[in-house]
Amino acid sequence: MLVFWKEKLVILAVPKTGTTAIADALGERADILINDPPELKHAPLYRYNRFFRPMFEKACKEENMETMAMMREPVSWLSSWYKYRTRDFLVGRPVSTRGISFDDFVLEYCKDKRKPFANIGSQAKFLEPRPNGTKVNYLFRYEDQKSVLGFLEERLETKIALPKSNVSPDLKLDLSPDVKAELRRTRAEEFELYESLL
């Protein structure tokens, strides 16, 4: 999470959407940069609404902070998680995907109760508006980097050069049609939200 006080902007760090590169590029420019622990770095909108928004409004007397986030195409997002969890440092741990096919990983993700290696949350849940009206004000497709960078450069009045950060192993992954259909059926909200971002 990055907070730009003068510009009244909070960048929510949806996992696997390039926010580490944004933090590397803009961290020194931010007024608040949260890199650890992951529960705060990747605070979803409901956690922002519960903890950070009240702090900004009550302690800091600022009620006009806006939020920005990116969402990745759901299959691409899952492939990034899968690749990340094949890394050597995770081998032998319950979250490792080493030795598990991408189809099996996605099928496990489709379940309500998942094994640890596929327990990675939900972009739709991360970004879900709150009953009090708190929502992500600017939500972009991760794949539309031109719009993301254009928005940030205009809002922050600075040029941005994104470094390559936290890059997953280069694996060729194909999802079988049956598994993709199951993913679309069981996680329709992910696709509906992504496809609404034009």
Side-chain angles (χ1 to χ4, degrees):
M1 180 188 292
L2 291 93
V3 178
F4 299 90
W5 195 251
K6 183 180 76 172
E7 295 84 0
K8 303 186 187 322
L9 182 67
V10 178
I11 300 177
L12 300 178
V14 180
K16 301 298 167 199
T17 62
T19 50
T20 298
I22 288 177
D24 288 347
L26 295 174
E28 291 184 7
R29 170 86 169 62
D31 296 295
I32 300 173
L33 168 63
I34 301 175
N35 275 326
D36 276 308
E39 293 79 11
L40 293 182
K41 175 183 178 178
H42 296 295
L45 186 65
Y46 65 82
R47 195 169 292 142
Y48 169 81
N49 179 59
R50 185 172 178 188
F51 298 107
F52 293 95
R53 183 191 55 76
M55 177 182 67
F56 295 150
E57 291 182 1
K58 293 176 184 174
C60 304
K61 310 298 185 206
E62 179 54 70
E63 298 181 359
N64 299 311
M65 298 299 286
E66 292 185 309
T67 52
M68 173 257 179
M70 290 178 285
M71 181 183 189
R72 192 167 182 162
E73 190 282 323
V75 176
S76 174
W77 185 72
L78 288 169
S79 72
S80 184
W81 270 112
Y82 175 85
K83 290 174 186 178
Y84 176 80
R85 290 187 165 189
T86 65
R87 289 181 171 183
D88 290 342
F89 78 96
L90 293 174
V91 171
R93 298 186 190 180
V95 297
S96 176
T97 53
R98 187 77 61 90
I100 297 166
S101 73
F102 186 45
D103 274 356
D104 287 343
F105 170 76
V106 172
L107 285 172
E108 189 66 29
Y109 177 75
C110 290
K111 297 176 181 177
D112 290 330
K113 291 187 177 180
R114 306 165 184 154
K115 293 180 181 176
F117 68 81
N119 193 16
I120 55 174
S122 157
Q123 292 184 98
K125 189 69 176 171
F126 187 109
L127 299 164
E128 184 177 48
R130 309 314 304 150
N132 68 354
T134 300
K135 63 179 182 177
V136 176
N137 301 100
Y138 303 97
L139 183 55
F140 297 90
R141 287 184 174 188
Y142 160 82
E143 292 79 7
D144 186 7
Q145 289 293 302
K146 183 178 179 181
S147 293
V148 172
L149 294 178
F151 169 79
L152 288 173
E153 287 180 347
E154 181 177 343
R155 184 72 175 250
L156 303 177
E157 297 181 343
T158 188
K159 294 300 283 182
I160 301 171
L162 290 182
K164 288 199 171 191
S165 302
N166 201 24
V167 179
S168 294
D170 186 19
L171 301 173
K172 287 189 177 182
L173 300 176
D174 290 312
L175 196 59
S176 68
D178 289 349
V179 174
K180 188 166 186 178
E182 178 68 4
L183 176 63
R184 277 192 166 271
R185 186 186 70 78
T186 59
R187 298 292 173 251
E189 67 279 5
E190 306 293 329
F191 291 92
E192 287 167 5
L193 178 57
Y194 181 78
E195 288 161 7
S196 74
L197 304 178
L198 301 175

